[in-house]
Amino acid sequence: MSFTHDIKSNRLLDVVINENFSDIAPPLSDKQVLVASERCLFCYDAPCITACPTGIDIPLFIRKINTGNNHGAAKEILSANILGGSCARVCPTETLCEQVCVRNKHEEKPVEIGRLQRYAVDHLDPAQPYPFTRAKSTGKHIAIVGAGPAGLSCAHQLACDGHQVTIFEAADKSGGLNEYGIALYKLVDDFAQTEIEFVLKIGGIDIQYQKALGRDISLAQLRENYDAVFLGIGMSDVNALNIPGEQYPGVEDAVAYIEDLRQETQLSNLPVGRRVIVIGAGMTAVDIAVQSKKLGAQDVTIVYRRDKSAMGASQHEQDLAQQNGATFICNAQPKEIIGDESGITEMVFNKTETDDNGKLVVTDNLISLPCDVVFKAIGQKFESSPLGNNSDKPALDQRGRIAVNDNFQTSLNDVYAGGDCINGKDLVVEAVDHGNKAALAIHQQLKQIINQGE
Amino acid sequence: MANLACEFIGIKSINPFWLASAPPTDKAYNVVRAFEAGWGGVVWKTLGEDPAPINVSSRYGAHYGQNRQVLGFNNIELITDRPLQINLDEITQVKKDWPDRVIIVSLMVPCEEEAWKNILPLVEATGADGIELNFGCPHGMPERGMGAAVGQVPKYIEMVTRWCKQYCSLPVIVKLTPNITDVRKPAAAAMRGGADAVSLINTINSITSVNLDTMSPEPSVDGKGTHGGYCGSAVKPIALSMVSEIARDPETANLPISGIGGISNWRDAAEFISLGATNVQVCTAAMLYGFKIIDDLCDGLSDWMDQKGYKNINDFSRMAIPNTTDWKHLNMNYKRIAHIDQDICIGCGRCFAACEDTSHQSILQTGDLGDRKYTIIDEECVGCNLCEITCPEPNAIKMVDIDTGKPHLSWLHHPENPYREEK
Ligand SMILES: Cc1cc2nc3c(=O)[nH]c(=O)nc-3n(C[C@H](O)[C@H](O)[C@H](O)COP(=O)(O)OP(=O)(O)OC[C@H]3O[C@@H](n4cnc5c(N)ncnc54)[C@H](O)[C@@H]3O)c2cc1C
Ligand code: SF4
């Protein structure tokens, strides 16, 4: 039958797809920047600074833009957050800096911090010297595993402090999820790679590609050969639905699909289902739903087992999904996927209710939805096997991620960790913050060792 | 990185930014916060004789722009309302704790030799770096024969300055009032009296607004108001002009200037310095935004200096002076006309109204509703800049130079000038 397993490429013309995947929030014009920057009140003890995980001095960089000092504004941002360019594009600002902007109170519209940040970083003057310099060499050498946002920010800070850094990266490109995971329309024009080039200009950072911890190198080796180790390996596993039918073709891991999408040079080549179900309610669920629509899927339905108020995706993201034509079904828990070795046709759910105590109750009422593709976007999981199997490995926390103290130090005192592989909000900006702070702690620790040696 | 450290009349400062004598420098608590924030120096709020004056409640007024942006600001406060000894003790302590920061003490006592002779040694004993004579305060104090009442009479300025140089070894800065006709006269008087420098401008006589319900000028004190001292970014153009006049006049050209008046960001500061100030004093911007604006002042100035290749403040100080001249020397053969960029123009017609009603009828309106088009009639345009100024879109109207092929010709030598000078 022609309407079962309707998965095919070329659902839309290339020109249409390329237009669909263009920059979702294009750069502000000079005039828009003038108006937007005027709105910043230069608040005292500004709430936005506290809300930004990397503590960028937002009012100050906006004032610098407003007085015509774009280069200075960019320096201000990058000195707190070396990935300020990608954060400006991918941060869910509506739940971070912009959420607490005092302009929301009577005007219901915050200062456009993210977009102003992008403007500033885009206007860093290339004719000026690189804005960061390296301290005198300390003679110390640090190994970093993972060239994602956490690893890169840690590396940059350590390089500034005069240390030598080697990054071991399993993939053949750096950037982590900035390269492989972020929705394409948020980071266009290969921005992740442009930004990494800028980060590496500091010098003293060597990246070794296709070197995976646990496969090509072991933690014990790194600890033996380097003065400290930072783990920024993210989460490489995904949660399973654990229901019948999950093994059939057509049931896909959303993150893996996005990874293929991000690396595809001709998007119309990608296989796209006609009727797509997305299971989940977070950022990844919205991203895969929107990207499926943009690739030409006819029906995209996001199904979530709780009610709408419990969704991980912010209102802004939910609106984005809806504007792009995705629909939501709430209070439906996956029960079974109907299909066979050739593909899937239908997915069955139990309706759920929330009782007076806020507990989710699964009812016997069933609903079923026709589908060609089901995307699983119910969360990623930390994969601990790269850490090794001997007793000499960092302890994990209750959620199964690497346990760290306030200094991002693991149970092994020369091993630090940050980003998605430790417990947190799983955002790029937070990974940058972890990398910064871990670098500071590593620097302090090594300085002590250097001082003792003198 | 550009070096912001500079020297003013022998006083070294980590940057050219001082807080002007005003509420932000009224007591140790504020001054210490300012130093912590990074200000290079302060001019301590004006000290006078005991008993200290008493201030009224309701002291400041504002002149607002759109969206409640404060364009101009005024105050009816008097000099410090705290006892002299408390101020002297605090100055002594703060200077001891912050040896690399500048403290200048502002003074205003009656125009009698004894009064100055008494207070000067007390101030010198604090360890302060210099004194500033407040001859500028336009409200309250002149009614008592001080402040602007002295500053408006050059011979008094000269006399008091001389006493100060006689009874104290500290550098003397004379703060000038703009409430006069020709600012060069009091500056020259200060110089004759031996002043090491002048600072300007103090505030301008002003009433910011009238409450149309109560018919009281603002700020209103129990239904009545009085003129206050106007400051804030609205006064910057007046201050810039006065600074340049002193810097350009051969008689006062070598007199160091501390620039004051509406300096709100690094750009303003750079402009004052390019027109003859050696350092600048800030008050209103700090009162409106807090001491943290020092970060923008310092970083912005140093970023700009880096961009231009200036290593220190002296590299660009007075650089605009040679280009500041009298009208009679301007080139009458120079021509510029407006050009409207149709891609940027939003069709509001403000330029048309301005030019058609009030200027030279040099703009053509064509097209219908939704497709209005405004173009410049090149032959009619006199290059007055009005359309560019009224245009809400930056860059939509640009003034472009037209090559007339004619040589430089000033009014001084213009054939139509009956009093022309022959070259
Ligand atoms: C689909 C999706 C959309 C997202 N959208 C947003 C968004 O819009 N905004 C936002 O702020 N955040 C978003 N996030 C989250 C964000 O991408 C992450 O929080 C962030 O990338 C974490 O940085 P990290 O450096 O900890 O890990 P990662 O970015 O995952 O980087 C880990 C790096 O380590 C490498 N690595 C892994 N294992 C090994 C090993 N054994 N040996 C060597 N190298 C290894 C990986 O190849 C990778 O380069 C999204 C995440 C996903 C999955
Ligand atoms: S990094 Fe993100 S959270 Fe921080 S200020 Fe920029 S946009 Fe906001």
Side-chain angles (χ1 to χ4, degrees), chain B residues 122-189:
Chain B
L122 304 176
V123 172
E124 190 157 1
T126 62
D129 300 281
I131 57 172
E132 183 182 81
L133 311 184
N134 182 346
F135 291 156
C137 182
H139 47 265
M141 302 316 284
E143 294 170 21
R144 306 177 192 196
M146 293 183 263
V150 180
Q152 285 162 342
V153 187
K155 74 171 185 230
Y156 289 169
I157 295 181
E158 182 179 341
M159 176 177 77
V160 177
T161 307
R162 188 163 288 127
W163 291 336
C164 291
K165 288 305 286 182
Q166 190 178 343
Y167 298 118
C168 141
S169 67
L170 294 174
V172 176
I173 305 166
V174 174
K175 186 167 181 175
L176 302 179
T177 175
N179 299 309
I180 38 106
T181 331
D182 183 349
V183 78
R184 293 171 297 187
K185 297 287 183 292

Side-chain angles (χ1 to χ4, degrees), chain A residues 51-54 56 58 81 87-88 91 93 96-97 113-114 117 429:
Chain A
C52 169
T54 54
I56 293 175
I58 296 158
N81 179 337
C87 284
C91 273
T93 51
L96 297 166
C97 50
I113 298 171
Q117 177 171 322
V429 64

